[in-house]
Amino acid sequence: MSDFFQDVFSKTKKFANNAVDETKDAAQKAKLNSKINNDQQMIDKNMAEIGRYFYDQYKDNPPQGLEKAFGDIKILQESIEISRGEIQTLEAAMAARKQS
């Protein structure tokens, strides 16, 4: 009978140890995934900064093969400026209505 309880105790202890190990591994995995995500965000930020610098240096004379991308950026920038102008017009109209 004592062997039975010893066997149950051993199996229970092994199960508990495995559960603790699984929890530790899961926590370490989450920590590493968080580090990877943070590092990737820093890479993306630096790549964007490099891209802005590169674009500013070559916007008037894009490198071969990048003409379309540079042109698309210019079109989007112009579209943004048009939208900002429209917002200013709307804000002026709203302000005028408030004063009348």
Side-chain angles (χ1 to χ4, degrees):
M1 189 67 124
S2 148
D3 289 342
F4 172 77
F5 288 114
Q6 187 63 33
D7 187 46
V8 169
F9 177 75
S10 282
K11 287 180 180 178
T12 303
K13 184 177 176 183
K14 183 178 178 181
F15 177 78
N17 286 337
N18 285 342
V20 168
D21 290 343
E22 287 290 321
T23 301
K24 286 180 183 178
D25 290 348
Q28 182 65 16
K29 181 180 173 184
K31 183 179 175 182
L32 290 169
N33 277 323
S34 177
K35 181 185 179 315
I36 289 168
N37 288 336
N38 289 337
D39 291 351
Q40 187 61 55
Q41 287 176 355
M42 291 302 298
I43 288 170
D44 293 345
K45 179 183 173 201
N46 288 321
M47 293 290 277
E49 188 175 329
I50 291 166
R52 269 189 228 91
Y53 175 82
F54 184 81
Y55 175 79
D56 288 341
Q57 294 297 311
Y58 297 100
K59 65 183 169 189
D60 295 327
N61 188 20
Q64 187 176 5
L66 294 176
E67 298 91 353
K68 182 181 180 331
F70 275 64
D72 290 348
I73 290 171
K74 186 174 183 177
I75 290 168
L76 291 167
Q77 288 174 328
E78 291 168 354
S79 175
I80 288 169
E81 287 306 311
I82 291 168
S83 295
R84 285 183 176 151
E86 291 174 1
I87 288 171
Q88 287 177 340
T89 301
L90 289 170
E91 287 174 342
M94 292 167 65
R97 276 194 300 273
K98 283 185 181 179
Q99 291 187 6
S100 58

